[in-house]
Amino acid sequence: MAKLKILKDGDTALRLKSRPVSDINKRILTLLDDMTETMRHADGVGLAAPQVGVLRRVVVIECEPGEVLELINPVIIERRGSQHEIEGCLSVPGRQGYTDRPAYVKVEALNRDGALVTLEGEGLLARAFCHEIDHLDGILYIDHAEMVTEE
Ligand code: ZN
């Protein structure tokens, strides 16, 4: 595994739409491993491939320590309720802000074996699903957050 460089706000790669993964090959599996290592090293709870300069629809999330969720081509298929909570992003260091997110989301994605899986999340996990999947469409939380810290 290798630690990757996390791109910061202002880098154009963070604003582009990522392409779906059509073939879960060795390169994608290595990307998943490297993203998990990078996320852990940075003390994050989630990381999307465009944050490391790879414009592919790949996300890793670790809201529960030791429980890494790997999502390939994730899609939110259900949203319920709402929450207004504080959020941050490894690509926007030193800043935090409040966002409006669904309280519950259901996500469909492929796992590393290519199987279609359904995942559900509430609270922090629901926020993480939304935040990371937004990255795949070039959206940063600061686009719609009420910021509480300023640079
Ligand atoms: Zn982020």
Side-chain angles (χ1 to χ4, degrees):
M1 290 208 278
K3 190 167 76 70
L4 306 171
K5 182 172 175 276
I6 298 175
L7 304 182
K8 300 296 187 288
D9 181 30
D11 196 303
T12 50
L14 291 172
R15 293 308 192 169
L16 300 174
K17 210 171 155 73
S18 293
R19 286 183 299 140
V21 173
S22 53
D23 177 25
I24 303 172
N25 54 25
K26 195 155 183 295
R27 186 178 289 193
I28 295 295
L29 300 181
T30 300
L31 175 66
L32 284 166
D33 291 341
D34 290 348
M35 283 173 60
T36 295
E37 183 177 345
T38 304
M39 168 181 67
R40 286 179 162 170
H41 190 267
D43 246 334
V45 297
L47 191 68
Q51 290 182 276
V52 293
V54 179
L55 293 172
R56 290 311 193 105
R57 302 187 82 83
V58 173
V59 161
V60 295
I61 290 173
E62 187 177 30
C63 288
E64 294 285 330
E67 212 175 289
V68 176
L69 304 176
E70 299 175 326
L71 306 146
I72 298 167
N73 301 342
V75 179
I76 295 176
I77 56 168
E78 201 179 320
R79 296 173 171 80
R80 261 189 254 142
S82 65
Q83 56 175 320
H84 185 73
E85 292 293 341
I86 205 151
E87 218 165 290
C89 179
L90 295 176
S91 293
V92 190
R95 304 188 71 191
Q96 288 190 312
Y98 283 89
T99 57
D100 289 312
R101 299 284 195 191
Y104 162 95
V105 296
K106 189 189 276 189
V107 174
E108 250 182 22
L110 298 177
N111 66 16
R112 63 163 55 221
D113 302 315
L116 186 66
V117 295
T118 304
L119 300 162
E120 296 176 290
E122 293 180 75
L124 175 63
L125 183 54
R127 294 204 295 282
F129 281 141
C130 296
H131 178 118
E132 302 309 331
I133 291 171
D134 274 353
H135 271 301
L136 305 180
D137 293 315
I139 299 165
L140 299 181
Y141 86 98
I142 51 173
D143 299 348
H144 54 88
E146 186 189 312
M147 302 306 287
V148 292
T149 56
E150 290 300 330
E151 276 179 305

